[in-house]
Amino acid sequence: MKLRGRAVLLPADVDTDQIIAGRYLRTRDPSTWAAHAFEDLDPTLAARLAGSVLVAGANFGCGSSREQAARALRDAGVVAVIAPTFARIFFRNAVNLGLPVGEAALDCVDGETVELDLEAGTARAESRTPVACRPLSPRMQEILEAGGLVELLRRQV
Amino acid sequence: MPTLSERILAAPAGTCVDRRVDRAFVHDGTGVLTLGTFRTIGRPLATPERLSVLFDHLAPANTSVTADLQADLRRFATEHGLFFTDVGEGICHQLMGEGHVLPGEVVIGADSHTCTLGAFGAFATGVGATDMAAIWATGETWLRVPETVRIDLQGRFEGATEAKDLALTYVGRLGMDGATYRALEFVGEGTMALSIAGRMTCANLAIEAGAKAGLFYADEVTRRYLAAFGHEVACQQPDEGEYAQELAIDLGDVEPVVALPGRVDAVRPVATLEETPVDQVFVGTCTNGRFEDLERLAAHLRGRRVRVRTVVVPASRRTLLEAVRAGVVERLLESGCTIGPPGCGPCLGTHLGVIGEGEVCLSTANRNFKNRMGVGGEIYLGSVATAAATALAGVIRSPEVPS
Ligand code: SF4
C-alpha cells in the first residue's frame, strides 16, 4: 500500500482533545466531526486536510480512547499519518478505521509531497532519501488492507 | 519467569495473541459509537453475559441530543440483558471495580482509563469503539503482549502525601509517552501501604505515561476487598520477570505535587506554586472520587468554609451512600462544597462545573489538556489533600496533616 499526499506538519503530543474537542462528540450526525478537526490547535487546519499526509511529532493521539479522533481525520480526507510514535489506542483506532499510519521520524517541510510505502516499510519526503518505518504487525496489515476491522469481519461471515 | 501481563495473556512480551475477553464495557460516550459500528458488522452478540454498559459521562443527560443517543443505547442494553447501570450509579471504572473484576481476568473497556482495573491484578486496557464492536460480535480481541516497566515501591507515605502524589510523580519521571505500548507493574513492600482506592488511583494514571496497563498483584488487601463482594480469590505471587525498565520509588520521598496546565508529566512540588489563584476546585473522577477521598477531603477541611467554589462528585452511588452514612456529606456541605450526582461530572468539560475563559481549576482528575474542562480554562492536577488546602485558601497551597 502506497500513500501520497501533501505534508501537514504538526507538533509532538497532539492529544485527542486537540484532534476533536469533547464538545463536538455528541451528535446525531458524525459527518460533522471532520469540519472541527484540530479546531483548538489551529482553526485553519481543517480546510487543509483533504489529500494531506499528517507528519506529526512523537506521541500523536495521546489521551482519550475517542475513536472520533481517527474518524474525523479519515473523513476529512487525510491520506495517512506519520509520526515517530503514536499513543496506542489512537494507533489501533486508525488501523481499525482503515486510516494508514506509519511510525517514522520524517524530516520534511510543510506542503511538500510525502509518500508512505507500507510494503517497503518506508516514508519519504519528495526530494530526499527514504526513512525506515517501524513495520506494522501482520494483523494490522491485514486489517488495513481490508479497509478496516468492520470490513474484515464482514468478509469473514 | 513471566511478568504479570505475560502470565495473564499466557504469552511472552512482543507476541500477538487472540484472547477471550472476560469482561468488556462501554459508557454512554463510547457506547453510542460502539452500537452503531456493531450494527454495521451485522452479527449477534457473542457473549452478552460478559458485556456491560454504564452511563457516566453525561449522566444525567445535558441536552436532548444526548438524551436521545442514550435512550437508544439504554434500550439496546436492557433488551439484550447486558449488565446496565443508568445515570446516577457512577463512573464505569469505579463500578466495574465494585466486585465485577477479578485477578487474572482480561478486561477491555471502551475508555482510556480502563487501566484503573489493573488494581485488582487483572489485565485491563482501553480500546476504541470499533475494537469494542468487534468484541461484542466475537467475544474476543487481539492483543500484543506488552513489555513491562517495573515500579518498585518501598517505604510509607509521610505527612499529607497520598497515592495521587505517587501517581503524578511516576508520570513525571516516565514522561507522557515514557511507557507507550508497555505495561506498568507495581511491586515491592510499599504496595502493602496502598489501599484498593490508592491502587486504583495509581493504576488510573498509567495511560498518562502512555502505558497499556498498570497492574498490582492481588494480595491480602485485594482478597479482603473482593470478599466483601462475595468473591473468594487467590493471591498472585510476584515472579522475577524480564523488565524493559525499572523505577524505584521510596514513598517516604514522595512529596505533594501538582501537574501544570497542559501536560500531566509537568509535575512540580506544590510548594513551588503556592499562591497561584484558582477559581474552582474539583474533587472526584475515576482517579479520586472514592469514599476514602471524600472522607479525606472532609478531614482536611475540618469544618472550615471553602473560599472558592468547590465541586465534589462521588465516583459511585455506593461511594456517595457510604459518605452519607458516615456523615461526610454533611461535613462537606457545611464547608460550602457543592455535591454533584455520581459520574464523571465536569472532568470532560461538558456539564456540571465547566470552567470559563481564563479560569483556573485545581482538579483531582487525571488529565489537564488544553480546554478539557472548558475553552480557555486551565487545569492543575493534584491530590485530595492539596485540593482541600487550595479550596480553603482560594490559592494553591501545600496540604497540612489534619490534626
Ligand atoms: S471521570 Fe474523567 S477520566 Fe474518568 S472516565 Fe470519566 S471522563 Fe474519563
Side-chain angles (χ1 to χ4, degrees):
Chain A
M1 199 182 268
K2 267 191 197 171
L3 296 313
R4 279 170 75 85
R6 271 174 303 97
V8 168
L9 298 192
L10 294 166
D13 300 312
V14 174
D15 60 68
T16 51
D17 279 80
Q18 289 178 63
I19 302 176
I20 178 77
R23 59 188 179 279
Y24 296 119
L25 298 181
R26 308 294 179 270
T27 172
R28 292 193 188 88
D29 182 7
S31 71
T32 54
W33 294 324
H36 298 293
F38 299 121
E39 194 168 285
D40 292 347
L41 184 67
D42 174 358
T44 67
L45 264 181
R48 295 176 53 213
L49 295 179
S52 71
V53 170
L54 305 183
V55 181
N59 199 28
F60 186 77
C62 59
S64 88
S65 69
R66 70 184 63 156
E67 196 170 278
Q68 289 92 336
R71 190 143 157 195
L73 301 184
R74 185 196 67 183
D75 294 353
V78 170
V79 176
V81 188
I82 300 172
T85 57
F86 288 83
R88 56 162 289 279
I89 303 180
F90 178 88
F91 196 74
R92 256 182 107 117
N93 287 345
V95 170
N96 284 340
L97 291 173
L99 173 65
V101 276
E103 275 189 302
L106 183 66
D107 201 9
C108 70
V109 291
D110 201 71
E112 84 178 299
T113 303
V114 293
E115 186 182 89
L116 174 66
D117 185 336
L118 287 176
E119 263 91 65
T122 56
R124 191 169 67 90
E126 219 158 21
S127 49
R128 300 180 218 198
T129 45
V131 295
C133 264
R134 198 163 118 139
L136 282 181
S137 68
R139 184 67 57 100
M140 286 197 151
Q141 276 177 33
E142 186 188 5
I143 297 170
L144 260 188
E145 274 154 24
L149 187 56
V150 171
E151 285 310 311
L152 188 67
L153 286 171
R154 288 170 66 160
R155 275 187 214 170
Q156 287 170 353
V157 175
Chain B
M1 295 274 211
T3 64
L4 188 48
S5 299
E6 291 172 322
R7 210 190 292 180
I8 296 172
L9 297 173
T15 34
C16 277
V17 295
D18 285 295
R19 185 60 159 79
R20 190 192 78 174
V21 175
D22 297 307
R23 239 327 126 188
F25 64 94
V26 299
H27 53 65
D28 52 312
T30 51
V32 169
L33 215 51
T34 301
L35 179 56
T37 305
F38 171 73
R39 283 173 172 149
T40 53
I41 295 172
R43 293 195 203 178
L45 291 171
T47 53
E49 70 286 358
R50 299 211 188 107
L51 309 180
S52 314
V53 175
L54 314 113
F55 281 9
D56 57 8
H57 271 53
L58 292 169
N62 59 340
T63 65
S64 52
V65 171
T66 305
D68 287 351
L69 295 171
Q70 288 183 356
D72 186 31
L73 185 56
R74 180 184 288 113
R75 211 176 303 118
F76 180 88
T78 45
E79 273 173 10
H80 290 83
L82 307 189
F83 172 56
F84 172 68
T85 61
D86 214 323
V87 305
E89 291 302 322
I91 306 170
C92 57
H93 311 300
Q94 175 62 22
L95 291 169
M96 294 304 291
E98 292 179 356
H100 298 285
V101 167
L102 302 178
E105 288 186 336
V106 172
V107 179
I108 310 286
D111 188 274
S112 61
H113 290 103
T114 302
C115 52
T116 310
L117 297 159
F120 300 99
F123 187 85
T125 193
V127 297
T130 300
D131 269 321
M132 185 53 70
I135 292 169
W136 283 16
T138 67
E140 293 188 349
T141 197
W142 70 271
L143 292 163
R144 185 184 164 281
V145 182
E147 287 78 22
T148 293
V149 179
R150 181 180 192 256
I151 302 187
D152 185 10
L153 304 176
Q154 297 296 330
R156 295 193 152 264
F157 290 128
E158 278 169 22
T161 308
E162 56 188 75
K164 179 60 164 293
D165 297 303
L166 167 62
L168 288 171
T169 298
Y170 84 68
V171 172
R173 299 256 296 262
L174 290 172
M176 257 166 85
D177 60 352
T180 298
Y181 310 129
R182 293 176 170 176
L184 309 181
E185 200 172 272
F186 300 94
V187 297
E189 78 170 85
T191 57
M192 289 184 303
L194 291 171
S195 64
I196 287 294
R199 293 175 191 192
M200 289 176 83
T201 302
C202 233
N204 179 268
L205 267 85
I207 179 78
E208 306 311 328
K212 186 167 188 167
L215 300 94
F216 281 84
Y217 286 80
D219 61 5
E220 265 315 303
V221 176
T222 325
R223 258 173 44 78
R224 248 178 288 127
Y225 176 90
L226 288 171
F229 292 95
H231 298 294
E232 275 296 322
V233 302
C235 295
Q236 297 163 319
Q237 297 305 329
D239 272 337
E240 268 304 309
E242 278 237 356
Y243 297 100
Q245 189 185 344
E246 308 208 18
L247 198 67
I249 299 179
D250 190 323
L251 302 186
D253 294 340
V254 176
E255 53 181 335
V257 286
V258 291
L260 305 181
R263 290 188 69 101
V264 187
D265 62 355
V267 175
R268 305 283 182 273
V270 183
T272 63
L273 289 153
E274 301 242 2
E275 309 308 315
T276 308
V278 305
D279 302 285
Q280 176 170 303
V281 169
F282 170 40
V283 176
T285 79
C286 55
T287 316
N288 276 126
R290 283 170 270 280
F291 171 69
E292 226 178 87
D293 298 314
L294 306 188
E295 196 186 34
R296 202 163 53 251
L297 176 64
H300 279 275
L301 292 177
R302 273 196 294 130
R304 291 169 290 179
R305 288 289 295 188
V306 296
R307 290 188 56 181
V308 285
R309 58 180 194 264
T310 300
V311 178
V312 180
V313 179
S316 72
R317 181 183 297 276
R318 179 185 291 267
T319 301
L320 174 55
L321 255 175
E322 235 182 304
V324 168
R325 291 190 180 126
V328 166
V329 168
E330 190 178 342
R331 288 159 67 197
L332 294 178
L333 288 171
E334 278 171 356
S335 287
C337 298
T338 298
I339 314 275
C344 299
C347 179
L348 66 161
T350 24
H351 67 166
L352 299 173
V354 175
I355 55 174
E357 173 91 44
E359 285 198 319
V360 175
C361 182
L362 187 292
S363 165
T364 64
N366 44 39
R367 228 165 241 166
N368 55 357
F369 297 158
K370 193 178 167 198
N371 299 336
R372 181 170 168 94
M373 284 183 74
V375 179
E378 295 201 319
I379 308 164
Y380 289 84
L381 302 176
S383 73
V384 171
T386 301
T390 302
L392 287 173
V395 293
I396 293 181
R397 278 283 165 82
S398 293
E400 291 161 24
V401 184
S403 44

